[in-house]
Amino acid sequence: MPADLVQRLYTAPPEGFVGARTEAVAAARAAGDEATARQLAKLRKPTVAAWLVNLLAIRRPELVADLVELAAELRAAQRDLRGPRLRELSAQRRGTVAALVAEARALGVEADPRLGAGKLPLAEVEATLQAALADVEVAEQVRSGRLVRAASYAGFGEVPRPQLRLVTGGAEVLLPEPAASGPTATRTAGGVSGQRGAGSPAEQAATRKATAREEAAEEAAARRAAAERSELRRTLARELTGARTRQRRAESELERATAAERAAGSALSEAEAALAEAERRRAAAEQEVSRRKLARKSAERDLAAARRRTGDVQAAVEALDAE
């Protein structure tokens, strides 16, 4: 069976799945490929939640790969009892799942705008992603992009496989629930086999119990998801408050620094102006000193000449008196 054809079926909006499958079966039969037609006819319509997870796996494989890697790190931290690392990864887990759910919402609205973000079963998507984080097998099934129904889990670290269906080739595989009373299902190459005959009262009762357990698990997962969202919202609110406080402090510090810079600039301008004025006065004073020095030397010459004249006159008077 062509993998790209199965991929197109499981990424198209679920309401068109049956019609698309019917067309694919008819095309295979018209081409004389009866085996492919039979395999296509066995494909089950995915729920909206499973469809959203398939969109993530096929359209954003790198994000799902990050989820699988994070799941491995979480299991290693649990196994080695590394508390600080486990707390760090748990916080990362919440952020990763929230980002994947948001991406699934965007992909779903893009693929079928009629649904609207408010109509999407995002709690089931989140529960499936949490289940993938808790068990490597479920993570790989999510990664395949061929889920038929959503998964849920009872708590991180427990095996979360409540009636999870996966399309592999042309066969649908039904994974077993954790050990409990009632008939257990085992995976086979061609489908699902049970311990009791299908359709018996006991089998019907077991199916109802399994459905009830699944619904209870989904409700519990939804409650946990809501609690985690509330915790994340509170954490983000605290971080936002702290960030805003730091921003206000930084803005005040910037204002003070800017004012101090302006004041220093003004002081520098004043000092430069004063220095220029001092230089001007110094130059004027040097010129004045030069002029005064010249005047002194001229006065000294005049005094010397006057003294010589006085001596000459005095000598002449004395000579006249001597006669």
Side-chain angles (χ1 to χ4, degrees):
M1 181 170 53
D4 58 340
L5 176 57
V6 176
Q7 188 177 91
R8 287 198 301 271
L9 287 172
Y10 281 96
T11 54
E15 67 176 15
F17 179 87
V18 174
R21 181 187 61 189
T22 300
E23 291 179 1
V25 170
R29 285 177 176 161
D33 190 351
E34 188 61 32
T36 297
R38 285 195 299 270
Q39 290 176 339
L40 289 171
K42 293 178 182 178
L43 296 181
R44 297 286 302 277
K45 174 183 176 181
T47 64
V48 175
W51 167 62
L52 291 172
V53 175
N54 291 337
L55 283 176
L56 276 177
I58 295 171
R59 304 282 175 79
R60 299 291 186 271
E62 71 284 358
L63 298 181
V64 177
D66 291 342
L67 182 77
V68 173
E69 182 178 352
L70 177 60
E73 294 182 9
L74 279 165
R75 285 191 299 275
Q78 272 196 326
R79 183 174 57 251
D80 299 338
L81 300 178
R82 291 177 290 167
R85 179 57 175 164
L86 185 58
R87 286 192 293 272
E88 177 185 346
L89 290 172
S90 295
Q92 184 179 345
R93 170 175 62 91
R94 290 191 291 271
T96 299
V97 171
L100 282 169
V101 171
E103 187 64 23
R105 180 196 299 114
L107 289 173
V109 172
E110 179 183 359
D112 191 354
R114 293 172 299 175
L115 288 174
K119 299 179 181 179
L120 298 176
L122 299 179
E124 295 180 40
V125 173
E126 183 172 358
T128 301
L129 296 175
Q130 297 286 9
L133 280 167
D135 186 90
V136 63
E137 185 177 358
V138 177
E140 289 303 322
Q141 292 159 359
V142 167
R143 202 174 188 177
S144 73
R146 296 185 178 185
L147 291 179
V148 177
R149 296 184 64 184
S152 61
Y153 76 113
F156 188 78
E158 299 181 12
V159 181
R161 299 180 218 168
Q163 299 294 312
L164 177 65
R165 288 182 170 83
L166 171 68
V167 176
T168 57
E172 180 182 290
V173 177
L174 179 62
L175 299 180
E177 297 180 0
S181 60
T184 58
T186 58
R187 287 172 289 166
T188 64
V192 180
S193 63
Q195 293 180 342
R196 302 181 184 176
S200 67
E203 179 67 23
Q204 294 174 3
T207 300
R208 287 194 295 272
K209 290 180 180 179
T211 300
R213 285 195 298 271
E214 179 180 352
E215 291 176 351
E218 290 176 351
E219 291 177 0
R223 288 194 296 271
R224 283 190 297 272
E228 289 182 354
R229 284 195 297 273
S230 297
E231 180 184 352
L232 178 60
R233 188 178 295 108
R234 288 193 295 271
T235 300
L236 292 176
R238 289 193 296 270
E239 292 181 358
L240 179 59
T241 299
R244 286 174 173 169
T245 299
R246 291 190 293 272
Q247 178 183 344
R248 287 193 294 271
R249 291 175 181 171
E251 289 173 347
S252 298
E253 183 63 26
L254 176 60
E255 290 177 0
R256 288 193 294 271
T258 302
E261 181 185 12
R262 286 196 296 266
S266 299
L268 177 60
S269 298
E270 292 175 0
E272 289 176 343
L275 179 60
E277 177 62 20
E279 289 291 338
R280 186 189 63 76
R281 289 197 300 271
R282 177 176 177 275
E286 288 178 345
Q287 292 176 357
E288 183 65 18
V289 167
S290 296
R291 286 194 298 271
R292 296 300 180 184
K293 186 176 181 179
L294 292 174
R296 177 182 59 80
K297 289 182 178 180
S298 178
E300 288 176 346
R301 287 193 298 269
D302 291 345
L303 175 60
R307 285 175 177 174
R308 286 194 301 270
R309 180 61 179 166
T310 299
D312 291 343
V313 172
Q314 183 66 36
V317 170
E318 290 178 351
L320 181 62
D321 291 339
E323 293 180 357

